[in-house]
Amino acid sequence: MSSPSGYATSAAASRLTRLSRTRRGTAVVVLLVALPVLTAAVVGSSELSLGSALMLYVLLVVVVASVGGIGPGVLAAVASALTANWFLIPPRHTLAIENRDAVLELVVFLAVSLIVSVTVELAARERATASRSALEARVLADVSARAPGDLRPADVLEEVRRAFAMVAVALVRTRPGRTEEVVASVGTMPVGHVPAAPPVERYSGAVPAEPVQPAARLRAGDELELVAYGPALFAEDRGLLQRLAAAAARAWEGQRLAAHAVELAEADRMRAALLAAVGHDLRTPLAGLKAAVSSLRQDDVDWSPAERAELLGSIEESTDHLTDIIANLLDISRIEAGAVTAQVAPVALDEVVARTLLPVPAAQVDLDLSDTLPLVQADAGLLDRVVANLVDNARRHTPPGVPVEVRARLVGDRVDLQVRDHGPGVPREKWETIFVPFQRLDDKAVGGHTGLGLAIAQGFCDAMGAALTPSHTPGGGLTMTVRLVVAAP
């Protein structure tokens, strides 16, 4: 990007075609000082002809026109002609002219002076226009040289703010229904800056003054407009501003497409993980089902009642495993789609936990819940799934013969439900990643599972307004804590 000084030069160049009052005033001062001095020098010299004296006055006109433009230049030409007539052309100290040649010389002098004033003014304007065009090309080249994915809307808006000395610049999107949204902005946005609102406050430093409208509001795309607050713009500025507005719109569109590409890449990653996880985890129960059913269908084998019961138990266990996998896939798809609706109401935590742990062998869980715990705000169905997934995850990582600990205690205005395992634990730096769908510890399958349990638990906790946090278990392992708000009495 260009340096800030480059922007200031661009702003100045766009205004050189209209000289400031200061320069015009300076030109008038030069005229008032130089004209008497030059006249005194000419009157005091007896060797100068009228033509030579008028050439000196032409030089004065050129200097004044160069400083102040055409207005002071014309004033200098008229004042010089009158001064020459008064002091140099007989009869002196009157405006009458006796000699026709003197009249011709004076008329030619006045015409030449006027032509010189106009020529100097036009040349100055052409130089300013060329300078401004070069600077505009440089600014646009800086913007165009950057790849669409690397150019942010704020970068282009900062170009506009610095180039035109604006207080603030915003890119506004008009949504269906005529609602407006600021998608990017730079500078100090005034109070009530939405373009559809009443006139906003202009700021001079930190002190608000009278309400004013935006200095410019240009269409940048189908749904986008560029809105600038600051000094008024000249007509010459709007061409560059319109091109920068279009560049800001392209940058915003590129940013949106880049974000969409990231979403698509994440979706592809999820699909790949889903295929890898489901393909592995479905194979085990399906293989068990196939083996048990094939065995029972063998006509040449006479199975004993105990063997038949064992095979049927294997079928039931594999079916339950498949049911759990499908339920988890449906749950994570609802969470990812934002389709989880929680019916939050006062719930007895001990009843939900006891009902959830009924299928779990008693030797595998150490349950410690007080009957005096207050009711909590939760969705009983979602809380049941949260507890089931946390206990299932803890059981997989706890060594054989060591029970999973389930504890609950009242902490201020909340109840903390803790599920502790005594396995290898998870390093603190990996606590964020354990909630990623299809994420397994060290990316390895433990007991054949999809890696969805903690992701589902966190999604359901978020839907209920509860918090799920990991911590270290004293002595080794991982503790998952569900923080539930106590229900109002």
Side-chain angles (χ1 to χ4, degrees):
M1 289 295 178
S2 302
S3 65
S5 61
Y7 299 119
T9 304
S10 176
S14 67
R15 288 161 172 76
L16 280 178
T17 56
R18 303 187 181 195
L19 298 177
S20 66
R21 292 183 178 181
T22 301
R23 290 193 58 176
R24 295 180 185 276
T26 302
V28 172
V29 171
V30 171
L31 174 62
L32 295 177
V33 173
L35 183 59
V37 173
L38 178 60
T39 301
V42 171
V43 171
S45 176
S46 59
E47 299 180 357
L48 285 177
S49 64
L50 177 60
S52 299
L54 292 177
M55 291 300 295
L56 293 177
Y57 283 118
V58 169
L59 178 60
L60 175 61
V61 171
V62 171
V63 172
V64 172
S66 299
V67 175
I70 189 171
V74 171
L75 178 62
V78 174
S80 297
L82 293 175
T83 301
N85 185 13
W86 186 269
F87 290 100
L88 302 180
I89 299 175
R92 296 177 180 179
H93 306 301
T94 68
L95 295 180
I97 303 175
E98 296 178 348
N99 193 329
R100 290 183 177 180
D101 292 339
V103 173
L104 180 60
E105 288 179 320
L106 195 60
V107 170
V108 171
F109 161 75
L110 189 58
V112 170
S113 298
L114 293 176
I115 292 173
V116 167
S117 297
V118 173
T119 302
V120 170
E121 171 79 4
L122 293 177
R125 291 195 179 194
E126 288 180 359
R127 286 196 302 272
T129 300
S131 176
R132 178 165 52 81
S133 299
L135 290 167
E136 288 180 5
R138 188 187 310 165
V139 171
L140 293 174
D142 288 343
V143 172
S144 303
R146 301 183 64 175
D150 297 334
L151 184 63
R152 303 180 305 159
D155 295 335
V156 183
L157 298 183
E158 185 65 17
E159 293 262 10
V160 175
R161 189 182 72 83
R162 291 180 176 178
F164 300 102
M166 291 294 167
V167 175
V169 185
L171 192 63
V172 179
R173 182 186 183 190
T174 302
R175 293 180 174 274
R178 305 305 298 170
T179 59
E180 294 183 336
E181 170 194 10
V182 176
V183 298
S185 65
V186 295
T188 304
M189 295 298 294
V191 177
H193 57 77
V194 177
V200 300
E201 297 275 338
R202 173 182 292 173
Y203 283 82
S204 175
V207 181
E210 75 282 357
V212 294
Q213 294 287 352
R217 180 173 178 173
L218 302 175
R219 179 163 295 279
D222 293 338
E223 298 180 341
L224 298 173
E225 287 184 318
L226 186 142
V227 182
Y229 299 96
L233 296 174
F234 292 122
E236 297 91 337
D237 298 327
R238 292 190 173 270
L240 174 60
L241 187 59
Q242 185 66 65
R243 290 189 286 273
L244 289 175
R250 289 195 299 272
W252 179 78
E253 186 65 26
Q255 193 175 58
R256 190 170 65 165
L257 291 175
H260 185 57
V262 171
E263 293 176 359
L264 292 177
E266 179 63 18
D268 287 341
R269 188 197 70 81
M270 291 283 290
R271 280 194 292 269
L274 173 64
L275 292 175
V278 173
H280 176 273
D281 295 328
L282 289 179
R283 190 176 296 115
T284 300
L286 286 175
L289 279 172
K290 175 67 174 176
V293 172
S294 297
S295 298
L296 290 173
R297 286 173 58 85
Q298 291 180 0
D299 297 331
D300 57 343
V301 178
D302 187 12
W303 302 104
S304 66
E307 291 172 333
R308 182 178 295 274
E310 182 179 352
L311 289 172
L312 290 174
S314 176
I315 293 174
E316 183 177 16
E317 181 181 353
S318 297
T319 303
D320 290 341
H321 192 179
L322 284 173
T323 301
D324 290 340
I325 293 175
I326 294 173
N328 281 339
L329 291 174
L330 292 175
D331 287 340
I332 198 64
S333 65
R334 290 168 56 206
I335 292 171
E336 293 291 334
V340 177
T341 301
Q343 303 294 331
V344 178
V347 171
L349 180 61
D350 56 335
E351 294 180 4
V352 174
V353 173
R355 184 171 61 250
T356 304
L357 297 181
L358 281 177
V360 182
Q364 297 184 12
V365 179
D366 180 8
L367 183 61
D368 183 11
L369 271 73
S370 172
D371 294 336
T372 61
L373 286 174
L375 300 180
V376 296
Q377 289 291 108
D379 182 303
L382 297 184
L383 184 57
D384 175 87
R385 298 287 293 135
V386 170
V387 175
N389 278 290
L390 293 180
V391 172
D392 181 62
N393 183 75
R395 288 171 60 196
R396 281 197 304 270
H397 295 94
T398 296
V402 180
V404 172
E405 299 178 11
V406 180
R407 303 282 187 269
R409 57 194 178 107
L410 179 64
V411 182
D413 61 348
R414 72 173 192 267
V415 174
D416 285 356
L417 174 65
Q418 294 184 333
V419 179
R420 303 176 181 172
D421 68 57
H422 294 277
V426 178
R428 182 181 296 272
E429 60 271 15
K430 292 187 176 181
W431 283 357
E432 292 293 332
T433 63
I434 62 176
F435 297 107
V436 177
F438 307 107
Q439 180 68 37
R440 298 182 173 96
L441 184 63
D442 297 328
D443 288 329
K444 296 178 181 178
V446 181
H449 66 102
T450 55
L452 293 175
L454 293 182
I456 292 171
Q458 185 186 49
F460 285 169
C461 283
D462 291 343
M464 294 187 296
L468 178 61
T469 58
S471 61
H472 292 298
T473 300
L478 179 68
T479 297
M480 301 300 298
T481 302
V482 181
R483 291 187 168 88
L484 299 161
V485 178
V486 174

